[in-house]
Amino acid sequence: MISQIGSVAISLAGGLIFSSFFFLGLYKYFNNKSYLLVAERAVLSTCYSLFLAFFCLLNELLVSNFNLQYVAQYTSYETPTFFKVTALWAGQAGSLLFWSFITALFTVAYIFTTLKKMKNLKFHSYLILAFIFSFFILLTNFIANPFEPVSSDIIVQNGNGLNPLLQNFFMAIHPPILYVGFTGSAIIFVMALAASISKDISFEWVQSIRRWSLFVWTFLSAGIILGGYWAYNELGWGGYWAWDPVENSSLMPWLTLTAFIHSSMIQEKRGMLKKWNFLLATSTYILVILGTFITRSGIISSVHSFTAENLGPMFFTFLALLVLYTIFWFIKRKSYLDTDDKIDSFTSREGGFLYNNLILILMCFTIMWGTLFPILSEAWDGNKIYVGASYFNQLNIPIGLVLLFLMGIGPLLSWNYTSKSVLLSRFKTPMISSFFTGLIYIIFSGLFQLYVFVAIMGVAFTLTSILGEFYKSYRKQKRSSNFFKSLLEMFLSNRHKNGGYIVHIGIVLLFIGFIGRAFEVEKEFSLSPGEQIYFSNYIFKLNSINSEARDNHYAFLSDIDVIDNNNELLTNLKPEKRIYFYWNSDPEKRQPHSELDIYSTIQKDIYSIFSAYDAKKNIGYFKIMINPLVNWVWIGGILMVIGSLFAFWPSRRVI
Amino acid sequence: MNKVTTSILIVFLLIIGWIFYLTNIKQDSSLTVRYYSISELASELNDIQKVKVGGYIKPNSIEVSENDQLEVSFFVYQNDDSVKVYYYGIRPDLFKDDAEVVVSGSYNNNLISATELQTKCASRYEGDLKNIEKI
């Protein structure tokens, strides 16, 4: 019954969204305000129908209604309730409905907050939103319908269940957080277009779109970091980023959005760069759709599999329409977006932001080139070329290092113009700190690595510069004698700026984590119980291998002592080899899974994988990696999110 | 020419140079590998230093060495063609008959000596329902 309601709800959403086009047309034709109101209600009702459909699917997953293909495919009676909920976005059909659901949430928020204040944007906002909705609703109704029943000649006794790899808390929450970022960029897209088309770019609009951007950025960043965290802790290849097309497609919009957040500040302060900002704001959503197209069409082979249903051509058409629409209005509104004001000097805050923009766009372009190169090359001469991680590392590391320094230089520049003497006095401390850190590296490092050297200097430079800024505003602000109280006051005095600096510190910490990658070592070996092996200043001693039948899998448990140089027990690692569905008589259906064990400290992680077990000879096969500084990536990521929440959280004064 | 125009010009030249560099990555064999189809390799007589091949593991072709569990050979097939692969190292969890794999390494004497073996990440269970009863 509930599933029928859900099915009706998505059809209803389809009808409603098409009726909104009709009423928007009537409004344009008769210029009668009441039609616009009807269109608004049609869009809102579409959103409500999508909410209904979403909760129907949720209900069916929770009650395990295996008459639905989707429910039977992604859950089983044994699936824990939490993962029944997360099955909402485990498959194609569900994730598309989920996508529409979040877009609907954003749309309702957008209509009731932003559009309440900026009434002139209504018409074009509804038009573009209706277009976006109709695409996703079309997919949900006709191509990937989550309410599709199983074929009528079978009875499903139990569902397939969720892949054990996905039964991980971080994997469960990573897609929705990322989706919030992805779909949220639609609002930025709509706002940028609507304001330019209706020639209504106001100061209020700039502030509002900036708030939306920060919100979206927070989720995008958190989603990307969580994805890395999951990969590191669950997948067992010892890394968190592999330059896979799927990862790249989440990074590209992040880069353009980051650029937009910076350059829109210039528009806010001086009304400049409108054209550039228009392009950044719109391309963010376009890149999101490009990424979705790449990952769901199967056009680029990636280890992340989304089996290609006929989504490729659909997404491509949608993408092309978005691009054409954007370009059309960009050309038409070019003169409106022109500004007379020019940047006076390149040693100014504006100049700094421009360099930052340039670097971010260069990075985005480089990544896009590498991601799309296989397709381009195949179209060019028929040769399919695979672009490896080495391409992305080789090209992005230098760009990233420039960015690292820029983050330290930016805060030292004043708006409009910075004189040479001021510049010199401000650069002094960061330069000195950077110089000495570099010197220490040269003295104490056995092996000189250029990138590590430059990165360490960059980290020192930027940290000193930002902390210096904090210190300066602390001294200016200081009123009470209580250190913590005045520190808190300082942070709260300019949340926008301070939040931004906290994000930057987070990114510097990320870089510290990245530096660690240069020192990673790994070893694969086999051991029998009682044997030990020496590797990278540690002794790894295998005590025993036991086995145990558990609820939904069978596990081989290893027990490894890690002994350090002083012959003291550092830790005990227990990586497991699990076989899910081990009771299945068909060996095909059994699924092995390596459960990692990681000894994690602030300096380094000892990462252990139990990769195979030879029961006859009682030999275990292991892989150990020593990954320095990985924790800094997560700490930096958390700081980024905290900083950006701090920056955009509405203050009491505003309300 | 004032400073601003000069800077813009320099930036512009840098971008052009960068794009030019990017378009040439195909020549750089440390960055890119050519994807071969299995039928192409099956008819290839010469040795190739770097190949990347995608396909499925031929059922019952996986042979794990008696002495060392990390040593394995198997056939990758696509349609009617197949090619033998040798690999030493940890195999991904999803490595089994008919699994989709991507293999890269060198190709000598009709054999791929793989340095890298990846299975398609089954982040999702797609496929037929298992516990069903026909009516």
Side-chain angles (χ1 to χ4, degrees), chain A residues 157 163 166 303 307 386 617, chain B residues 33 35 66 121-123 126 133:
Chain A
Q157 285 152 344
N163 192 322
L166 295 182
V303 282
T307 33
Y386 169 83
K617 292 185 187 157
Chain B
V33 189
Y35 240 111
E66 285 278 312
C121 160
S123 38
E126 317 248 306
E133 190 181 301

Side-chain angles (χ1 to χ4, degrees), chain A residues 510-531:
Chain A
L510 276 187
F511 270 91
I512 294 181
F514 298 161
I515 293 171
R517 296 211 70 172
F519 301 98
E520 287 175 6
V521 283
E522 59 175 67
K523 189 176 178 74
E524 290 176 16
F525 53 86
S526 58
L527 286 180
S528 293
E531 288 182 341

Side-chain angles (χ1 to χ4, degrees), chain A residues 370-386:
Chain A
T371 311
L372 296 179
F373 196 79
I375 311 175
L376 298 176
S377 152
E378 200 180 4
W380 181 253
D381 58 9
N383 280 342
K384 220 173 169 185
I385 300 287
Y386 169 83

Side-chain angles (χ1 to χ4, degrees), chain A residues 195-227:
Chain A
S196 309
I197 296 172
S198 40
K199 298 192 180 179
D200 198 39
I201 293 184
S202 56
F203 181 69
E204 200 185 16
W205 175 86
V206 182
Q207 284 195 316
S208 169
I209 199 171
R210 278 185 52 76
R211 240 188 328 269
W212 277 102
S213 312
L214 280 175
F215 180 75
V216 170
W217 189 91
T218 311
F219 279 90
L220 214 49
S221 311
I224 294 172
I225 300 266
L226 280 172

Side-chain angles (χ1 to χ4, degrees), chain A residues 610-631:
Chain A
F610 185 178
S611 53
Y613 178 55
D614 187 339
K616 257 185 266 162
K617 292 185 187 157
N618 199 18
I619 296 178
Y621 291 81
F622 300 92
K623 182 171 185 172
I624 301 280
M625 297 180 197
I626 313 283
N627 299 335
L629 305 173
V630 174
N631 263 320

Side-chain angles (χ1 to χ4, degrees), chain A residues 150-195:
Chain A
V150 291
S151 78
S152 54
D153 59 345
I154 56 168
I155 294 172
V156 180
Q157 285 152 344
N158 195 353
N160 285 5
L162 195 70
N163 192 322
L165 279 175
L166 295 182
Q167 297 197 14
N168 169 292
F169 176 73
F170 292 100
M171 186 53 202
I173 59 168
H174 142 75
I177 290 178
L178 202 54
Y179 279 12
V180 169
F182 282 165
T183 55
S185 62
I187 301 294
I188 300 167
F189 178 80
V190 169
M191 272 187 93
L193 268 166

